Amino acid sequence: VLTWQGRWREADSELTAAWGWFAESRPPMVGDALVRLAELRRRQGRLDEAEELFTQCEGHPLALLGRAALALDRGQTEEAAELADRFLRRFPAPDRVERCAGLELAVRAHARQGKLDLAREASDQLQEIATRAGTRPLEAAALASNATVATASGDLDAARRFLEDALDLVPASQAPFENARLRLDLAAALAALGRRQQAGRETEAAFTALRAIGANREAARGEAMLARLRSAPPPVP
């Protein structure tokens, strides 16, 4: 919950304490703390530390998700897709909510590989689960995945609409990391559509939020986007 709310210092403290407690009293459960601490390190941009922690809890199902996300962070799309598929095979029933995070990663990995049919198939599955579950975070995740497919297909205006709708479902105060990443994706779509002023506003908001919570790697991405927007020549009327 603390990680979701962007209260990362508190989350770090709780997870570190849980790790030590489990190590002393319930060693078989130490992986539950390690895998969540590893995901926090990944979000902080401390990728090497995250990888080491994921390795220590390799048999945990969430470690597969974390390693898939880590591979995407490093541009290793084939490995990311394989790890996401491996996670999904653990939950073969198509209506399992647990599949959602794996489907999100699969969409992004396949889209970056140019495998649009596979990306669209995963996105459709995620949409079906989100519609049945009816929760705002899952609906936002489904919209973001739709945007990923639309962007890869070249339909930037559709991607813009999907991302705007997703942002309406995920308030920045409740999920600052997820909200900021959606803003960066929206900014990229707006910039590609020639709407640089709006793209700049979204990027600045995302950069400020990411820097505040300590998401250094994503903040650097936002800073780089701002630099490109400021240095690009004005669009031809």
Side-chain angles (χ1 to χ4, degrees):
V1 171
L2 292 170
T3 301
W4 173 258
Q5 292 177 340
R7 297 160 60 184
W8 286 1
R9 289 186 180 180
E10 295 172 76
D12 198 322
S13 178
E14 294 288 349
L15 288 168
T16 302
W19 178 7
W21 189 85
F22 282 137
E24 291 181 3
S25 60
R26 298 184 182 180
M29 297 181 66
V30 74
D32 290 335
L34 281 178
V35 75
R36 287 167 175 80
L37 184 59
E39 173 59 17
L40 179 57
R41 292 287 181 266
R42 187 191 70 80
R43 291 178 177 224
Q44 291 169 330
R46 298 157 65 175
L47 303 190
D48 291 340
E49 293 178 52
E51 183 177 23
E52 183 178 348
L53 289 169
F54 281 131
T55 301
Q56 292 181 46
C57 51
E58 193 170 8
H60 199 290
L62 293 181
L64 288 173
L65 280 179
R67 289 167 56 203
L70 195 60
L72 268 182
D73 290 340
R74 291 170 165 166
Q76 300 162 346
T77 55
E78 184 175 358
E79 181 180 355
E82 290 174 355
L83 287 167
D85 182 63
R86 184 176 169 186
F87 172 82
L88 291 169
R89 292 200 302 270
R90 291 198 174 197
F91 305 97
D95 59 346
R96 289 286 294 270
V97 173
E98 292 89 341
R99 290 175 61 85
C100 290
L103 289 168
E104 284 184 77
L105 288 168
V107 170
R108 290 164 55 199
H110 291 317
R112 291 189 193 181
Q113 290 178 304
K115 299 179 179 179
L116 295 186
D117 289 342
L118 292 176
R120 191 172 290 108
E121 180 183 347
S123 182
D124 289 344
Q125 291 181 37
L126 177 56
Q127 183 67 67
E128 289 176 10
I129 297 172
T131 299
R132 283 196 298 270
T135 67
R136 291 162 66 94
L138 283 185
E139 290 173 354
L143 287 165
S145 292
N146 290 339
T148 298
V149 175
T151 299
S153 303
D155 192 347
L156 294 172
D157 200 52
R160 173 191 60 80
R161 294 194 301 272
F162 284 133
L163 289 165
E164 289 172 346
D165 292 346
L167 278 166
D168 290 339
L169 292 171
V170 183
S173 59
Q174 295 180 12
F177 182 75
E178 284 73 14
N179 183 283
R181 291 189 63 187
L182 287 171
R183 285 186 181 278
L184 287 181
D185 289 342
L186 175 58
L190 289 168
L193 289 167
R195 297 161 66 172
R196 289 171 49 200
Q197 189 173 4
Q198 290 175 271
R201 288 198 298 267
E202 296 294 344
T203 307
E204 287 178 3
F207 172 68
T208 301
L210 291 165
R211 187 172 56 178
I213 63 175
N216 296 329
R217 187 175 183 278
E218 291 294 321
R221 182 163 76 98
E223 190 173 23
M225 288 177 65
L226 276 176
R228 288 196 298 271
L229 286 168
R230 290 166 178 166
S231 63
V236 177

